[in-house]
Amino acid sequence: MIKITFPDKNVREYNEGITGMEIAKSISHGLANDVLAVSVNGEIWDLSRPINSDAEIKFHKWDDAEGKHAFWHSSAHLMAEALEAVYPGVKLGIGPSIENGFYYDIDLGEGRSISDADLPKVESKMAELAKTKSSYNRRDVPKSEALKYFTEKGDPYKIELITDLADGTISFYTQGNFTDLCRGPHLPDTSYIKAIKLLSVAGAYWRGNEKNKQLTRVYGITFPKQKMLDDYLVMLEQAKLRDHRKVGKELELFTFSQKVGQGLPLWLPKGAKLRELLENFLKKVQKEYGYEQVITPHIGQKELYVTSGHYEKYGKDSFQPIRTPQEGEEFLLKPMNCPHHCEIYKSKPRSYKDLPVRMAEFGTVYRYEQSGELHGLTRVRGFTQDDAHLFCRPDQIKEEFIKVIDIIFRIFKALDFKDYIAQVSLRDPNNKEKYIGSDENWEKAERAIIEAAQEKGLNTVVELGEAAFYGPKLDFMIKDAIGRKWQLGTIQVDYNLPERFDLEYMGADNQKYRPVMIHRAPFGSMERFVAVLIEHTAGKFPLWLTPDQVVIMPISEKFNDYGKKVLNFLNNSDIRTLLDDRNEKIGKKIRDNELKKIPYLLIIGEKEEAGELVSVRKQGEGDKGSMGLNEFAEFIKNEIAKQLQEI
RNA sequence: GCUGAUGUAGCUCAGGGGUAGAGCACUUCCUUGGUAAGGAAGAGGUCAUGGGUUCAAUUCCCAUCAUCAGCUCCA
């Protein structure tokens, strides 16, 4: 008998050689139905693999990442089997599961290609194979036999993969007529795969190296239920409708010009308004937390970045130096604000009593991103960081982190981001020489971050080895309204720049000390943040932030004069209001202004003019009845105050 | 940067070796209306840019630029 320990520390005894599936069945019928894979002492196994000694186990179902991994990985094998059936002689590369589905890299051979139009053929072959309920059988083979198998099959990519593997045994998985080299784990059989959609075809270099041959990558996704696939496809459609490039154009927020240059966004009046409102909001919050605004130029001497180390590390990713014609001095478009801020710190002697010094700037920086990387507002060559640098004593790190977390929470609330993850990135304890700074400092800073996160009750994941070389960091990821994750703000400790710029402060003991620097940007960049906000809200911004809050729509031109009166009144009450005095019927005005996503539409006609009223229509919700003009203005101000947590 | 696709009116797109097309938006006129598209007329384009082939190129070929997808990268 062997002892099996469950996650709740419960222990049961089973016969040696029992499988995960048999254990699941012994617990409940429902579990046996849902389970997809099992962790055995932390390693993920097939449900059919015998367990021969005491073990801690955990079952994985669809709702955890490991369960999905087994499902999609098995689906990749099924797709490979279908591809071999439809395209005989196809050579296979790798076929992993990814965050949403799976892919397989294939080489169709000279003169053959596959396009989106060919995917349904492969899909139906997969469905046919899935129905055969073939089990995924694991088999350990010696390396030599593995090589022999793929040599006979004539699959050069697999041979290369096996050759690179350590000597010893290699696991093979077979389902139906298909055998693949694979670590596993896999589903019990193919019938689990009920809904299949192949999504796209793209090129990808063998092993991600552009010097290698380009293979064809086929992307797909599968689900245990048809309904789940249907929902997923609806979500993809939704994502398309929310695409910030599309919405940004429709709402006239920003544009690009081939003549200005790629990756250089032009903010249109409405987008600029939105950005200004965001910036003012953050400035106001930061002022409460003791930040001071500074302003620095867009260029700096090359020497500045040599000192900071950015030139050596990122020189090739910067715009090339500008030379002055007379002196031949070299200047860089600034890729970072921190070196400038270090020089501001150095502009006068600092005492321990002055710390922390908190310097904020909406600093525009320029980076030469590779042309293929540019994407809407999320990846651009010129962007504005909501940057700030906190210069503090080592013992102040934790408190400063707590304050930054508070600021980030304020933002999340004001913008209705409800779902987030905070990632704490620490150094790799086995690879300490990669990092600058003393052990003592690192331990202090890492402890400070973890404690700050705990005190604030953050929903945290810790990643070892993800820290920057100059210090640990805390990153915030939000989940948007349709469940996609976006990386946003970051807080980073930096021991490097204070060292390089020789920053100092005078201690109480009349000795000089080195301050610690904290970089932080709650939005990340204005460009990227606005993009995320557009995709999160689908362009329906919160009332306090939206460029146009109210539009007045007279029933006919006879009421345009009253419309102007209402317009003046609301604008004078600091409510951003437009008047739609076009010669159009009310239905048309409603439609057009709904499409512009203006939160409140006011209809005015004879009744309203007579009683100093407005008839209120809320975006997406329809008629709300009429209100006095004063009453409406108060109502709007109240709504905004609520959103900004000011009451 | 690499591979592939795309580039036609402000927007969304059709077309095709020989006067350039639609819908929406825009302008003017008619209409003056009560909660998601009233009607009519008009204006608008070096068909991304530069070369080449051709009697003739927006269309075919080459290059460049930009956009999109994927790969690689991201202080």
Side-chain angles (χ1 to χ4, degrees), chain A residues 289 291 398-412 420 422 448-458 460 474 476 491 520 522:
Chain A
Y289 283 86
Y291 287 62
K398 179 175 157 188
E399 202 188 327
E400 287 308 303
F401 258 76
I402 286 176
K403 286 182 175 163
V404 179
I405 293 167
D406 281 339
I407 292 174
I408 288 174
F409 278 0
R410 283 279 288 277
I411 292 167
F412 283 3
Y420 72 90
I449 295 177
I450 292 166
E451 284 176 14
Q454 273 170 357
E455 271 178 45
K456 285 280 130 192
L458 291 190
T460 311
L474 178 62
F476 282 83
I491 322 176
R520 43 106 283 172

Side-chain angles (χ1 to χ4, degrees), chain A residues 134-151:
Chain A
S134 312
S135 50
Y136 289 89
N137 296 316
R138 182 190 172 96
R139 184 160 59 95
D140 287 325
V141 299
K143 189 169 173 177
S144 57
E145 192 187 322
L147 280 172
K148 187 162 159 257
Y149 176 84
F150 282 109
T151 307

Side-chain angles (χ1 to χ4, degrees), chain A residues 364-644:
Chain A
T364 304
V365 298
Y366 299 89
R367 296 176 186 178
Y368 181 74
E369 303 285 358
Q370 293 187 44
S371 60
E373 312 305 334
L374 301 172
H375 180 92
L377 283 185
T378 57
R379 199 74 187 274
V380 288
R381 284 180 170 170
F383 57 96
T384 302
Q385 296 178 312
D386 56 324
D387 212 357
H389 295 99
L390 318 176
F391 299 87
C392 66
R393 305 190 305 261
D395 62 278
Q396 292 171 319
I397 293 176
K398 179 175 157 188
E399 202 188 327
E400 287 308 303
F401 258 76
I402 286 176
K403 286 182 175 163
V404 179
I405 293 167
D406 281 339
I407 292 174
I408 288 174
F409 278 0
R410 283 279 288 277
I411 292 167
F412 283 3
K413 277 185 187 149
L415 294 167
D416 204 29
F417 289 126
K418 294 193 178 80
D419 213 345
Y420 72 90
I421 302 163
Q423 178 178 314
V424 178
S425 298
L426 306 178
R427 72 179 166 165
D428 178 355
N430 301 318
N431 211 350
K432 287 185 182 174
E433 58 288 351
K434 255 173 58 184
Y435 306 92
I436 183 173
S438 69
D439 271 6
E440 191 199 340
N441 277 339
W442 269 87
E443 275 153 30
K444 235 188 255 171
E446 292 187 345
R447 207 178 322 121
I449 295 177
I450 292 166
E451 284 176 14
Q454 273 170 357
E455 271 178 45
K456 285 280 130 192
L458 291 190
N459 176 13
T460 311
V461 292
V462 175
E463 295 288 343
L464 293 177
E466 287 294 306
F469 74 93
Y470 49 77
K473 61 180 179 175
L474 178 62
D475 292 321
F476 282 83
M477 248 102 56
I478 61 113
K479 245 191 189 174
D480 74 11
I482 55 172
R484 296 168 302 170
K485 282 182 221 146
W486 301 84
Q487 154 109 47
L488 287 182
T490 178
I491 322 176
Q492 309 188 353
V493 178
D494 187 347
Y495 293 110
N496 181 42
L497 284 182
E499 195 73 37
R500 284 177 166 270
F501 279 90
D502 196 22
L503 305 184
E504 296 176 330
Y505 66 88
M506 191 68 84
D509 55 1
N510 203 28
Q511 299 287 312
K512 284 179 177 171
Y513 293 94
R514 186 80 76 211
V516 180
M517 204 170 156
I518 298 172
H519 308 252
R520 43 106 283 172
F523 292 151
S525 84
M526 299 311 293
E527 284 73 9
R528 190 180 155 74
F529 190 79
V530 167
V532 173
L533 200 56
I534 291 171
E535 306 230 358
H536 177 55
T537 60
K540 294 170 194 161
F541 302 113
L543 184 60
W544 72 269
L545 182 62
T546 199
D548 300 310
Q549 296 168 315
V550 176
V551 59
I552 303 158
M553 307 183 302
I555 290 281
S556 85
E557 289 177 315
K558 278 190 278 190
F559 309 105
N560 280 353
D561 284 343
Y562 178 57
K564 278 179 196 140
K565 210 174 127 190
V566 176
L567 178 72
N568 284 333
F569 176 79
L570 292 177
N571 276 330
N572 288 336
S573 313
D574 284 329
I575 296 168
R576 298 185 291 278
T577 310
L578 301 174
L579 174 63
D580 185 352
D581 56 6
R582 291 176 303 162
N583 176 10
E584 292 291 350
K585 291 173 87 163
I586 198 67
K588 170 78 165 159
K589 291 188 186 182
I590 291 172
R591 180 182 154 79
D592 288 352
N593 289 298
E594 285 275 350
L595 291 175
K596 285 192 204 160
K597 303 188 167 67
I598 298 176
Y600 287 95
L601 316 189
L602 301 183
I603 294 170
I604 55 168
E606 201 173 346
K607 277 181 297 197
E608 288 76 14
E609 179 165 22
E612 289 260 299
L613 301 172
V614 291
S615 174
V616 180
R617 208 190 138 93
K618 192 167 178 189
Q619 202 288 110
E621 293 181 22
D623 195 356
K624 294 284 171 187
S626 59
M627 258 189 216
L629 190 47
N630 271 309
E631 193 191 346
F632 177 72
E634 284 313 307
F635 166 76
I636 292 291
K637 284 186 203 165
N638 201 39
E639 288 291 295
I640 290 170
K642 261 194 261 175
Q643 285 180 355
L644 293 177

Side-chain angles (χ1 to χ4, degrees), chain A residues 83-90 108 112:
Chain A
L83 284 164
E84 283 194 340
V86 179
Y87 302 95
V90 63
L108 288 157
R112 279 205 297 186

